[in-house]
Amino acid sequence: MHKQLFIPGPVDVRPDVLEKMATPMIGHRSKECTALQESISGKLQKVFQTENVMVLSTSSGSGLMESAIRCCTAKKAAVFSIGAFGDRWYKMAVANGKPADKFRAEDGQATHPEDVEKVLATGEYDLITVTHNETSSGVQNPVGEIAEVVKKYPDVVFCIDTVSSMAGADIPVDKWGVDFCITSTQKCLGLPPGLSMASVSQKAYDRAKAVTNRGLYLDIVEIYDKVVKNYQYPSTPSLPHMFALDYQLDLILAEGLENRWARHAEMAKYIQDWARKYFALFSDERYLSNTVTCIANTRGISVADLNKALGERGMTLSNGYGDLKEKTFRIAHMADATMDDMKKLTTAIEDILGL
Ligand SMILES: *Cc1c(COP(=O)(O)O)cnc(C)c1O
């Protein structure tokens, strides 16, 4: 039996979108392929609210995160982390021999504009990374406010991780001046995992050109040049994902971005209220995520047992991430999920726990 997914990626994919993955192949150097990418780029620019160049990578989002920090750090990177995924960005810098410092908030807390101001004012850094939506703690950072600080430092390349929020929350890339904005297919976009995408500014590209040892497969200069030239890629991209993405983007734009964010917000509010009633929220109330809720296990239940019982009813949620396992659990409300899905899940949890 398929278990309905309430985990923060991969998410359930609509059957018609899944079917597009089985489209017969075309040559990746053909005119059809150029047209496919051109179509995807135009639609992604709307979702990202940007005029920057859109690139795809046949890797999950981590690939483009590594590409950004490796290719665009010349001097030193300031990594603002509020959880497991921010920590990963720092590990990527270290693994690639890039000078980097990590500025870590406690789990459940946000990155504040004042923190960023203090760090950038030192003049030591020429790239910063911020996690827009930290999936491990259910915190959505105030990136709009942080962006106002970053704008005062025109030499700094601004990278954000929107892997678990793009298309599930309002992320105006150009208004915020984001140079490298990354997301993956398997979260709010509602596609299978295996492809990621980013908007890349001229500034990020120019920086990368001045950096040596960018690697090859994830070299953003190679990828960007080829996309700008004829909407193709240096190596063979995942065409099945591209067919499905092109189709799903039509559905997303037909729903309307504002409507889509509002649907996510309505589900988020419902799950947050439910969590406050029976448990407590793990995250700082001022910065709750639109797409995933992290619930403090104040009743000391066995999350593993709960998930087992849910599994027998054809559903699954997420235990806490890493050290937060059993101390928290997470419910995703992203992609094509509905209020009915949320109610079905909470009713089942109440029934199983006798709440
Ligand atoms: C899932 C996730 C990642 C990792 O993305 P992959 O596509 O699995 O590589 C990075 N950051 C955040 C915030 C995520 O939720």
Side-chain angles (χ1 to χ4, degrees):
M1 174 178 58
H2 172 70
K3 285 185 205 157
Q4 191 176 355
L5 300 173
F6 290 91
I7 63 175
V11 297
D12 280 314
V13 181
R14 295 166 52 132
D16 50 334
V17 174
L18 267 184
E19 232 170 73
K20 292 287 168 189
M21 297 283 289
T23 305
M25 289 307 115
I26 56 175
H28 68 300
R29 299 286 173 233
S30 64
K31 283 205 182 80
E32 293 105 291
C33 205
T34 292
L36 178 60
Q37 176 61 44
E38 189 173 4
S39 165
I40 289 169
S41 287
K43 293 170 197 172
L44 278 179
Q45 282 175 321
K46 290 189 185 138
V47 174
F48 279 59
Q49 304 179 64
T50 186
E51 286 174 12
N52 287 339
V53 171
M54 297 301 318
V55 303
L56 302 180
S57 171
T58 299
S59 66
S60 72
S62 303
L64 282 171
M65 288 168 70
E66 185 158 346
S67 172
I69 203 157
R70 175 171 182 168
C71 297
C72 300
T73 305
K75 217 156 63 176
K76 200 183 207 185
V79 176
F80 289 87
S81 173
I82 61 167
F85 291 104
D87 290 350
R88 252 178 98 66
W89 225 339
Y90 177 71
K91 282 183 199 151
M92 288 166 179
V94 173
N96 283 287
K98 288 287 168 184
D101 288 324
K102 182 166 75 168
F103 304 95
R104 178 68 150 88
E106 297 267 308
D107 286 336
Q109 301 301 309
T111 297
H112 297 285
E114 311 85 77
D115 310 333
V116 175
E117 175 76 71
K118 219 164 62 192
V119 168
L120 293 188
T122 63
E124 280 183 54
Y125 306 95
D126 62 356
L127 178 141
I128 83 163
T129 72
V130 175
T131 310
H132 175 258
N133 189 74
E134 176 53 65
T135 316
S136 64
S137 63
V139 171
Q140 192 171 297
N141 267 322
V143 177
E145 292 168 41
I146 292 167
E148 292 309 310
V149 173
V150 181
K151 280 179 189 165
K152 294 196 266 172
Y153 300 91
D155 293 338
V156 172
V157 170
F158 187 18
C159 305
I160 64 172
D161 169 356
T162 66
V163 171
S164 61
S165 48
M166 183 56 78
D170 183 13
I171 303 170
V173 166
D174 284 357
K175 190 172 149 214
W176 288 352
V178 178
D179 295 301
F180 213 129
C181 181
I182 299 155
T183 197
S184 305
T185 43
Q186 78 278 15
K187 301 202 181 169
C188 298
L189 286 168
L191 293 152
L195 191 78
S196 53
M197 57 225 67
S199 63
V200 181
S201 73
Q202 182 73 43
K203 180 164 128 191
Y205 173 79
D206 291 343
R207 166 66 60 73
K209 282 207 105 168
V211 168
T212 50
N213 283 326
R214 299 186 301 264
L216 193 72
Y217 187 65
L218 294 171
D219 176 9
I220 202 60
V221 173
E222 285 253 326
I223 298 170
Y224 186 105
D225 279 345
K226 207 85 180 73
V227 169
V228 167
K229 187 175 160 223
N230 62 355
Y231 287 109
Q232 293 189 0
Y233 288 93
S235 54
T236 322
S238 175
L239 295 165
H241 279 96
M242 290 173 70
F243 293 128
L245 175 61
D246 191 43
Y247 176 80
Q248 172 73 340
L249 286 169
D250 282 337
L251 300 182
I252 289 171
L253 294 171
E255 178 179 13
L257 292 173
E258 307 257 347
N259 294 337
R260 194 174 175 87
W261 306 327
R263 176 168 55 77
H264 282 74
E266 189 189 6
M267 294 189 291
K269 182 171 184 309
Y270 174 80
I271 294 295
Q272 289 158 10
D273 286 344
W274 181 86
R276 284 191 200 95
K277 183 169 175 196
Y278 293 111
F279 292 88
L281 292 172
F282 176 74
S283 339
D284 185 333
E285 284 271 356
R286 294 169 297 172
Y287 305 106
L288 297 177
S289 165
N290 223 35
T291 62
V292 57
T293 297
C294 185
I295 300 167
N297 183 8
T298 48
R299 290 175 178 260
I301 60 159
S302 161
V303 176
D305 287 352
L306 169 62
N307 229 356
K308 208 165 145 211
L310 281 171
E312 283 159 15
R313 299 176 187 218
M315 287 171 262
T316 188
L317 50 66
S318 243
N319 208 321
Y321 193 100
D323 294 342
L324 297 175
K325 200 169 177 171
E326 293 295 331
K327 293 189 190 120
T328 64
F329 60 97
R330 294 168 299 156
I331 297 173
H333 24 84
M334 56 174 70
D336 294 316
T338 64
M339 279 294 283
D340 283 348
D341 296 328
M342 297 304 130
K343 287 176 185 160
K344 181 176 149 196
L345 177 71
T346 55
T347 303
I349 298 174
E350 287 166 30
D351 191 43
I352 290 164
L353 298 178
L355 299 176

